[in-house]
Amino acid sequence: MQEVRVRFAPSPTGPLHIGGVRTALYNYLFARKNGGKMILRIEDTDQTRFVPGAEQYIVESLDWCGIKFDESDYVGGSFGPYKQSNRKHLYKQYSDELLEKGHAYIAFDTPEELEKYRKEAEANKQTFIYNCQSRNNLRNSLTMSKQEVEMLIANGTPYTVRFMIPENREIVMHDLIRGEVHVQSNTLDDKVLFKSDGMPTYHLANIVDDHLMKISHVIRGEEWLPSMALHVMLYEAFGWEAPQFAHLPLLLKPDGNGKLSKRDGDRLGFPVFPLFWTDPKTGETASGYKQSGYYPEAFINMLALLGWNPGTEQEIFNMEELTEAFSLDRCSKSGAKFNVEKTKWFNHEWLMRKPEVEVGHDYQQWLKDEKNIDTNLDFAIKVAGLVKDRVNFVKEIWEQSFFFFEAPTSYDEVTVKKRWKENSAQTMRDVAEVIRNIEDFNLANIDATLNNWIEVNGLGMGLVMNSLRLMLVGAGKGPHIGEIIEMLGKEEVLRRIESGIKALG
Ligand code: GLU
């Protein structure tokens, strides 16, 4: 069997959309599953769309996701260079080869002329297609004499090389996800392969490089499905064996049917990029999953299931499990709707599975950075462990645990109304005495002593505990009260009860 070689081939025109990350992920999983190679190729032939910093952004994003490459300009490989602008010298011979074989022709039509034809067609409610319907009436090497063409070129007249789409052909292709795909050649454009600036277009460079890099499977987004017929015909024209194709379904907005865009993210408050991004020209920024507090494991897990399903009920997968379970025939044809809540849920699930020391460490750091609070790792681990089942992100732990770090300065009104009764102050004075007398101040002792005291004195459990919680937390929430008491320590607990009684009377 042919060696599996796949590539992720982004154009550095801006930050990498999460749809692009998913394409990279599926390529990576497919390569690993089949013992193949994963290649990173930077497709930067369109110099007008080049954005500084975008390539670095792409590389850092994929690295954060844990998507690794076997070959690239960064890790090396024997098919390099892997950036198309550094392969510039390679492409012209292939464009010449197609000209010689009669599969391509030279066209002199200027952008202004083409625009004029487009407008004229539009006015007649038609679309202008540069192909068998029109090419014999346009300014190209099919309609001009050889001398005329040579003279224009010698004079430095700008020209492009166009692929000659065969007339009246039914192109039948196979897509690994979509099955048989049919295209009628007369609906296709004679696409430009080589531009007047001396650079190949995406189509030529992409095919030439896939061939030279011995790519076996082209796995890419649905937006490239309309180019598949052209690509297949290019392989045919060169006499090369075409790779197998798989076109992945679109990622759709959470509400409605369009493609998921940055605007949807802004509107509904979620990132559509893996990392934070600042546009170098406009200074405009975009949020990223990493900086929003997502774990890469959760991000990848969520993306993997947008357009693929394992055929079982399992939802939580790490990269090894994904590799094991992945196959292209379980990818869907129809678009996958992005789900913000589900995305958060994945982060929650991964937070629950993280080693407690990692979560504790992250929370310790968060406290330092956001609240300027210094705390020791053990304490941070313990706090995080007590409340993590109620949060989706490390940054949300504070909301559930602030009372471990600061005494209440106010008392939640609704809780006071509900829980603070006439005799509560006296009960709290009594409970303070009980707590003061606990010698071995550990959870088991605290729980046993309080329970026993409540029982012996015939006091309601809820009544005492809820008031006590109000004293310690300032609200009606928080983990088990005994844990709070133990972690705050005797002195702090007594201080808070005293202040609470003073405040509520
Ligand atoms: N450079 C193209 C892109 O930016 C690659 C498409 C392909 O994989 O063929 O998506």
Side-chain angles (χ1 to χ4, degrees):
M1 207 185 97
Q2 189 193 8
E3 191 197 2
V4 166
R5 290 176 58 82
V6 296
R7 84 305 194 269
F8 180 55
S11 299
T13 56
L16 183 61
H17 186 276
I18 56 175
V21 179
R22 189 198 55 180
T23 299
L25 174 65
Y26 286 12
N27 272 284
Y28 177 67
L29 296 175
F30 184 78
R32 296 229 320 196
K33 168 102 191 198
N34 294 290
K37 295 276 187 296
M38 166 75 164
I39 291 134
L40 174 66
R41 184 173 72 224
I42 302 295
E43 300 204 327
D44 59 346
T45 55
D46 190 350
Q47 290 163 332
T48 60
R49 295 183 62 215
F50 176 78
V51 173
E55 179 179 338
Q56 201 50 36
Y57 178 94
I58 292 167
V59 170
E60 281 171 18
S61 297
L62 298 172
D63 189 53
W64 178 67
C65 294
I67 296 172
K68 297 188 190 73
F69 291 92
D70 300 297
E71 294 174 28
S72 74
D73 277 345
Y74 299 86
V75 301
S78 40
F79 294 84
Y82 293 92
K83 193 199 297 222
Q84 290 184 327
S85 56
N86 294 332
R87 303 169 64 80
K88 232 185 333 207
H89 58 282
L90 264 160
Y91 305 110
K92 188 166 183 306
Q93 56 180 304
Y94 292 100
S95 160
D96 289 346
E97 182 182 332
L98 291 183
L99 283 170
E100 263 158 48
K101 287 180 168 167
H103 290 302
Y105 58 93
I106 288 171
F108 294 100
D109 318 270
T110 63
E112 294 74 30
E113 284 166 351
L114 293 173
E115 188 52 29
K116 197 181 103 207
Y117 303 142
R118 237 171 259 131
K119 289 231 167 89
E120 280 170 7
E122 240 168 63
N124 296 324
K125 298 223 171 344
Q126 282 167 341
T127 15
F128 170 73
I129 309 185
Y130 203 128
N131 71 359
C132 59
Q133 299 168 31
S134 58
R135 64 189 169 218
N136 292 331
N137 304 314
L138 296 166
R139 295 206 309 128
N140 55 48
S141 59
L142 304 172
T143 61
M144 293 171 162
S145 72
K146 200 163 178 253
Q147 284 123 303
E148 209 178 340
V149 170
E150 276 165 7
M151 204 184 71
L152 283 172
I153 293 177
N155 286 346
T157 313
Y159 68 90
T160 59
V161 176
R162 284 182 182 268
F163 185 62
M164 191 152 75
I165 299 272
E167 209 171 330
N168 292 328
R169 239 189 82 184
E170 169 96 347
I171 306 132
V172 183
M173 302 162 288
H174 185 76
D175 183 282
L176 292 168
I177 295 172
R178 283 146 213 281
E180 218 166 78
V181 179
H182 293 245
V183 173
Q184 181 19 267
S185 70
N186 292 5
T187 63
L188 300 173
D189 215 45
D190 286 356
K191 281 274 187 265
V192 172
L193 300 177
F194 210 80
K195 296 176 286 183
S196 51
D197 64 1
M199 286 289 262
T201 57
Y202 153 73
H203 298 292
L204 180 68
N206 184 271
I207 262 54
V208 166
D209 285 345
D210 280 349
H211 171 69
L212 294 178
M213 295 179 182
K214 296 197 163 42
I215 298 303
S216 62
H217 296 76
V218 168
I219 304 168
R220 61 185 174 188
E222 180 175 333
E223 61 272 31
W224 298 104
L225 189 57
S227 301
M228 184 178 171
L230 168 70
H231 293 181
V232 165
M233 284 187 286
L234 273 167
Y235 282 104
E236 205 180 278
F238 279 117
W240 298 336
E241 195 190 332
Q244 289 191 266
F245 289 93
H247 288 90
L248 305 173
L250 289 178
L251 290 191
L252 304 176
K253 38 174 116 262
D255 48 352
N257 277 327
K259 192 172 155 179
L260 178 68
S261 73
K262 174 170 183 303
R263 243 172 301 131
D264 301 315
D266 293 343
R267 189 167 53 86
L268 302 167
F270 64 88
V272 296
F273 302 118
L275 309 181
F276 182 82
W277 165 258
T278 310
D279 188 289
K281 278 199 208 97
T282 63
E284 209 189 311
T285 59
S287 62
Y289 277 85
K290 179 181 178 190
Q291 289 78 7
S292 301
Y294 283 89
Y295 290 117
E297 293 91 338
F299 177 61
I300 283 303
N301 194 162
M302 170 282 287
L303 273 184
L305 290 161
L306 276 181
W308 167 81
N309 76 80
T312 64
E313 294 293 300
Q314 188 179 346
E315 288 193 280
I316 303 301
F317 290 86
N318 64 23
M319 199 66 107
E320 273 63 47
E321 293 164 327
L322 283 174
T323 305
E324 189 53 42
F326 187 77
S327 74
L328 284 174
D329 54 19
R330 298 211 72 90
C331 288
S332 66
K333 292 195 210 19
S334 49
K337 242 189 213 322
F338 183 81
N339 182 335
V340 192
E341 289 314 312
K342 189 81 194 194
T343 303
K344 292 181 188 161
W345 176 85
F346 275 111
N347 210 63
H348 172 77
E349 291 298 314
W350 275 97
L351 181 76
M352 296 302 287
R353 283 166 173 76
K354 284 273 167 183
E356 58 173 16
V357 56
E358 186 181 332
V359 179
H361 179 269
D362 289 350
Y363 189 44
Q364 184 189 32
Q365 191 61 46
W366 187 92
L367 286 168
K368 179 82 206 131
D369 296 344
E370 301 295 325
K371 297 284 169 190
N372 205 16
I373 291 174
D374 279 307
T375 187
N376 70 56
L377 183 58
D378 285 342
F379 195 73
I381 291 175
K382 208 147 179 217
V383 170
L386 280 176
V387 303
K388 69 178 178 186
D389 58 337
R390 294 167 213 205
V391 304
N392 294 325
F393 301 97
V394 166
K395 65 183 175 189
E396 290 175 352
I397 294 177
W398 174 256
E399 184 54 34
Q400 303 293 333
S401 70
F402 57 88
F403 44 85
F404 285 116
F405 304 94
E406 35 188 57
T409 49
S410 65
Y411 299 86
D412 178 57
E413 256 178 61
V414 179
T415 317
V416 172
K417 231 184 184 155
K418 224 165 113 191
R419 308 290 187 201
W420 195 253
K421 300 277 147 56
E422 230 173 274
N423 52 355
S424 293
Q426 187 51 48
T427 312
M428 288 302 101
R429 262 179 230 119
D430 296 344
V431 96
E433 268 326 288
V434 175
I435 291 173
R436 196 189 306 280
N437 290 327
I438 300 175
E439 299 236 311
D440 203 352
F441 210 69
N442 65 43
L443 179 59
N445 256 343
I446 295 166
D447 275 347
T449 311
L450 286 180
N451 289 344
N452 183 46
W453 177 74
I454 291 169
E455 214 186 297
V456 167
N457 291 282
L459 301 165
M461 180 69 96
L463 205 75
V464 177
M465 291 309 193
N466 288 324
S467 305
L468 190 49
R469 183 178 292 280
L470 194 56
M471 304 286 91
L472 303 180
V473 175
K477 63 176 180 185
H480 176 61
I481 197 82
E483 301 265 21
I484 301 179
I485 293 173
E486 184 196 26
M487 285 170 71
L488 288 178
K490 193 189 280 186
E491 294 312 311
E492 179 64 13
V493 168
L494 295 178
R495 237 191 324 270
R496 288 190 189 189
I497 295 175
E498 202 184 314
S499 321
I501 294 171
K502 233 182 242 157
L504 299 178

